[in-house]
């Protein structure tokens, strides 16, 4: 296990924005957080602060970029550098059509030399060591040798951290959602990668739903990344710091809620829409008694219901926050 990577929250478009990440940071001081993917040209031509600003409490925090051109990746990395992210990550796993049109995402698995060039360009420009998030294979390339050659080629440029979504992707015929469930999980291939490249940090991703499963995978790899189960069940990870890192204290949900409420009220002052700030909270009691009612009440708040006198805690299922 590599303490810095033991558990991380996956990059998820439309989900892992700074507000959800801040909530996760209240739930765990240790989980490594990843941003949504930002495309190189968006940083170069757009308003970088809009995509890059984050709360100082979010560290350790990684920025994920999408790029298929070494020069653009290097420029985007140089723009992002002053923000002080702890890690820069390259998306080599996304199969969406839009991403493929840009030539980046999972299509890059077929071009390991280009990924190696991107790594070198970013490193030469910024001194940063790009990490790589990829799949076990793509289209007809599903064998272990293809995967090992990809990793070997990119590692030969200098890359040291590989986050492997343990299923291959189909670039045609399956949409991104189906590409996260239809191709079977291949954990054994990721374990083997760690055995064959013990000097690399190998992080396993895909289908992990509990801390018990994380602990099991950590017997074979350096870290585990969780996506959907972080969003769907954020409170499930509240024991992570204690169980994985040996911290003494676990967070208390009433305190987390109170802290997030302070953050939310400050966010409103700065002009962030209430709905955007409330959204990360929707699943905080999911699967528990009162969880649906909580969701409905938040939805009403987002639609303009008046703020409860006792704050958000007054809307929460009683037994969960007392
Ligand atoms: C809504 C959503 C958006 C995603 N966006 C990204 C993204 O921007 N970059 C990326 O590398 N992966 C993205 N993914 C894939 C996840 O990072 C992760 O690899 C995948 O969901 C498998 O992990 P899980 O089974 O724990 O969810 C996204 C997944 C979801 C569900």
């Amino acid at each position: 296990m590599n303490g810095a990577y033991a558990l991380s929250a996956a990059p998820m478009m439309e989900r892992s924005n700074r507000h959800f990440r801040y909530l996760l940071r209240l739930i765990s001081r240790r989980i490594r957080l990843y941003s949504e993917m930002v495309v190189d040209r968006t940083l170069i031509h757009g308003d970088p602060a809009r995509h890059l600003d984050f709360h100082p409490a979010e560290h350790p925090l990684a920025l994920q970029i999408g790029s298929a051109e070494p020069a653009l990746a290097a420029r985007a990395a140089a723009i992002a550098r002053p923000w002080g992210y702890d890690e820069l990550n390259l998306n080599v796993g996304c199969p969406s059509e839009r991403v493929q049109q840009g030539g980046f995402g999972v299509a890059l698995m077929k071009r390991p030399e280009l990924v190696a060039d991107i790594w070198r360009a970013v490193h030469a420009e910024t001194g940063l060591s790009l990490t790589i998030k990829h799949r076990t294979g793509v289209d007809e390339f599903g064998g272990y040798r293809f995967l090992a050659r990809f990793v070997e080629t990119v590692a030969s440029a200098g890359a040291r951290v590989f986050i492997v979504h343990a299923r291959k992707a189909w670039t045609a015929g399956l949409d991104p959602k189906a590409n996260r469930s239809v191709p079977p999980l291949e954990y054994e291939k990721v374990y083997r990668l760690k055995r064959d490249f013990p000097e690399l940090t190998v992080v396993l991703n895909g289908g992990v739903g509990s801390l018990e499963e994380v602990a099991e995978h950590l017997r074979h790899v350096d870290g585990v990344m969780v996506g959907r189960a972080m969003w769907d069940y954020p409170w499930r990870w509240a024991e992570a710091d204690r169980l994985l890192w040996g911290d003494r204290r676990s967070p208390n949900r009433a305190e987390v809620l109170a802290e997030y409420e302070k953050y939310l009220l400050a966010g409103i002052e700065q002009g962030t829409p209430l709905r955007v700030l409330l959204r990360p909270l929707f699943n905080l009691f999911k699967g528990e008694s009162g969880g649906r009612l909580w969701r409905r009440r938040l939805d009403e708040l987002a639609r303009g219901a008046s703020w409860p006198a006792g704050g958000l805690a007054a809307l929460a299922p009683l037994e969960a926050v007392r």
Side-chain angles (χ1 to χ4, degrees):
M1 164 170 146
N2 174 339
Y5 284 90
L7 180 59
S8 52
M12 288 182 285
M13 296 299 290
E14 313 280 331
R15 293 186 179 178
S16 14
N17 62 25
R18 53 184 297 184
H19 312 306
F20 180 55
R21 299 192 310 251
Y22 187 79
L23 177 68
L24 286 180
R25 181 54 74 230
L26 294 175
I27 292 171
S28 160
R29 294 186 308 151
R30 307 270 197 170
I31 292 176
R32 196 172 186 83
L33 304 175
Y34 285 73
S35 76
E36 307 169 84
M37 176 183 70
V38 186
V39 174
D40 51 12
R41 288 179 201 275
T42 306
L43 283 183
I44 294 165
H45 303 299
D47 166 16
R50 199 177 134 231
H51 300 282
L52 296 176
D53 283 356
F54 59 85
H55 192 287
E58 287 183 49
H59 293 291
L61 174 65
L63 171 69
Q64 186 186 60
I65 60 167
S67 184
E69 288 184 45
L72 294 185
R75 271 177 66 198
I79 290 169
R81 191 160 187 222
W83 268 260
Y85 281 85
D86 301 285
E87 176 188 334
L88 207 56
N89 174 265
L90 181 69
N91 182 340
V92 187
C94 180
S96 89
E97 217 164 275
R98 189 176 65 86
V99 163
Q100 280 190 65
Q101 274 164 10
F104 44 95
V106 74
L108 286 174
M109 279 205 78
K110 296 178 189 171
R111 306 179 69 191
E113 287 81 10
L114 177 57
V115 178
D117 285 345
I118 291 174
W119 194 95
R120 286 190 199 94
V122 168
H123 189 255
E125 175 79 27
T126 62
L128 296 172
S129 178
L130 198 57
T131 66
I132 312 294
K133 179 167 181 282
H134 58 103
R135 298 270 189 147
T136 45
V138 58
D139 297 334
E140 69 273 33
F141 303 104
Y144 178 76
R145 284 184 52 190
F146 173 81
L147 173 64
R149 192 175 107 56
F150 173 82
V151 167
E152 192 174 22
T153 307
V154 181
S156 74
R160 284 294 165 268
V161 179
F162 291 82
I163 302 162
V164 194
H165 184 177
R167 43 166 72 93
K168 79 178 202 180
W170 292 98
T171 56
L174 288 187
D175 65 19
K177 192 163 181 220
N179 259 313
R180 290 192 289 267
S181 57
V182 174
L185 286 161
E186 308 184 290
Y187 293 142
E188 190 46 50
K189 267 192 193 162
V190 186
Y191 297 167
R192 183 171 169 196
L193 212 51
K194 177 62 196 177
R195 286 199 299 275
D196 290 352
F197 299 90
E199 71 284 10
L200 300 180
T201 293
V202 175
V203 177
L204 176 144
N205 166 240
V208 179
S210 70
L211 279 168
E212 291 70 30
E213 289 168 44
V214 170
E216 173 59 29
H217 289 304
L218 286 177
R219 296 173 52 219
H220 305 278
V221 289
D222 299 293
V224 176
M225 172 179 272
V226 175
R228 286 163 291 187
M230 285 273 172
W231 176 260
D232 290 342
Y233 298 97
W235 193 248
R236 202 176 268 182
W237 312 97
E239 292 289 306
D241 296 5
R242 204 172 55 77
L243 293 179
L244 300 179
W245 284 278
D247 287 6
R248 285 242 202 86
R249 201 172 164 269
S250 294
N252 162 296
R253 198 154 33 173
E255 284 168 20
V256 166
L257 196 53
E259 279 301 310
Y260 190 84
E261 185 166 357
K262 279 192 220 157
Y263 170 86
L264 177 151
L265 294 171
I268 292 172
E269 291 289 307
Q270 287 157 19
T272 310
L274 174 61
R275 168 165 286 283
V276 171
L277 289 158
L278 281 173
R279 195 160 167 255
L281 291 176
F282 273 54
N283 291 332
L284 194 57
F285 302 97
K286 185 169 175 157
E288 298 172 48
S289 135
R292 284 195 189 177
L293 185 59
W294 159 257
R295 220 185 145 98
R296 201 162 69 231
R297 286 167 155 176
L298 288 189
D299 194 52
E300 285 161 9
L301 263 192
R303 290 168 191 278
S306 56
W307 202 256
L312 290 175
L315 305 182
L318 278 185
E319 54 290 8
V321 292
R322 291 289 147 85

